[in-house]
Amino acid sequence: MKLINRYLPEYQFAEEHSRYIPAPPERVLDVIGRPDVVDDPVARILIALREIPNRLAGRLGFASNLHHRPSFGIADFTFLGRDGNRELAYGLAGRFWQSDYGLVAVVDAAAFSALNPSGIAKLVMNFTAEAEDFGTRLTTRTRVWCGDDATRRNFNPYWLLIRPASGLIRRRLLKRVHDAALQTLPALPS
């Protein structure tokens, strides 16, 4: 957990999920970023539902920051790094409670670290792979730091509303990583 602690040592909101995967840590971390793993149809539906009001406003001629933008996804995160076969981390910054997420462009890990958190929330999502028995315990953690009291007040109801869907997406992602890691394992001799 070196990366998540480096990029977000303090936080007000957190979520954690884990799953045992009968594959080595290296293989488990390697499959996480694959498009077929992160592109979950249930996640796409949940995100589409969240984006309907903003996208509909754009179609009706009203202001919409999402009208010509792809749906929210892993591409919106900034890759913060990989610590060998132990951890991957991704960052995101913005006013997530806004209908267009209020995302702040962050080009790399250094920019994420340097970002002034006043008025925005900073989020780090990581994946840690720990050897367990003959496989890996994969854990994903999400931490959020709100840069000031007003931001925390705005984020808190959003967190309460989005957390169940976020948890479902994370658990499904762990299952998809599990399945992908097993598909890439060579067959055992009989």
Side-chain angles (χ1 to χ4, degrees):
M1 291 196 339
K2 291 178 183 179
L3 294 173
I4 198 168
N5 289 332
R6 178 188 320 156
Y7 292 106
L8 211 58
E10 295 181 35
Y11 51 95
Q12 296 109 342
F13 303 90
E15 179 177 7
E16 180 176 316
H17 303 278
S18 73
R19 181 183 185 110
Y20 174 77
I21 301 173
E26 174 183 338
R27 187 177 317 269
V28 170
L29 288 183
D30 285 348
V31 301
I32 288 173
R34 287 186 6 200
D36 62 310
V37 174
V38 296
D39 185 26
D40 177 23
V42 171
R44 279 196 319 263
I45 289 168
L46 293 171
I47 290 166
L49 288 171
R50 185 207 185 281
E51 293 179 353
I52 282 175
N54 194 298
R55 292 191 184 278
L56 183 59
R59 287 195 179 112
L60 296 174
F62 297 100
S64 168
N65 291 335
L66 296 180
H67 188 57
H68 297 291
R69 206 168 85 193
S71 290
F72 179 81
I74 194 70
D76 291 301
F77 286 78
T78 300
F79 179 68
L80 299 177
R82 179 170 176 160
D83 180 15
N85 295 325
R86 294 176 294 278
E87 182 183 13
L88 291 170
Y90 299 87
L92 191 67
R95 294 166 189 84
F96 310 131
W97 56 93
Q98 293 180 355
S99 66
D100 67 353
Y101 307 99
L103 297 180
V104 174
V106 181
V107 295
D108 58 22
F112 185 84
S113 290
L115 190 61
N116 179 346
S118 293
I120 62 167
K122 289 177 77 172
L123 177 151
V124 173
M125 175 178 65
N126 84 333
F127 297 88
T128 56
E130 298 177 55
E132 180 179 299
D133 297 329
F134 298 102
T136 302
R137 171 64 53 183
L138 181 64
T139 303
T140 180
R141 293 172 184 84
T142 303
R143 292 180 179 175
V144 180
W145 169 258
C146 296
D148 52 51
D149 289 338
T151 301
R152 189 169 45 254
R153 283 192 302 274
N154 285 323
F155 182 78
N156 191 52
Y158 174 74
W159 178 256
L160 293 174
L161 182 65
I162 203 74
R163 190 167 181 198
S166 173
L168 174 64
I169 290 169
R170 299 297 188 276
R171 288 187 302 276
R172 287 183 58 84
L173 179 56
L174 291 172
K175 169 79 167 97
R176 293 173 70 83
V177 170
H178 171 276
D179 294 350
L182 295 185
Q183 288 174 357
T184 59
L185 285 174
L188 295 174
S190 39

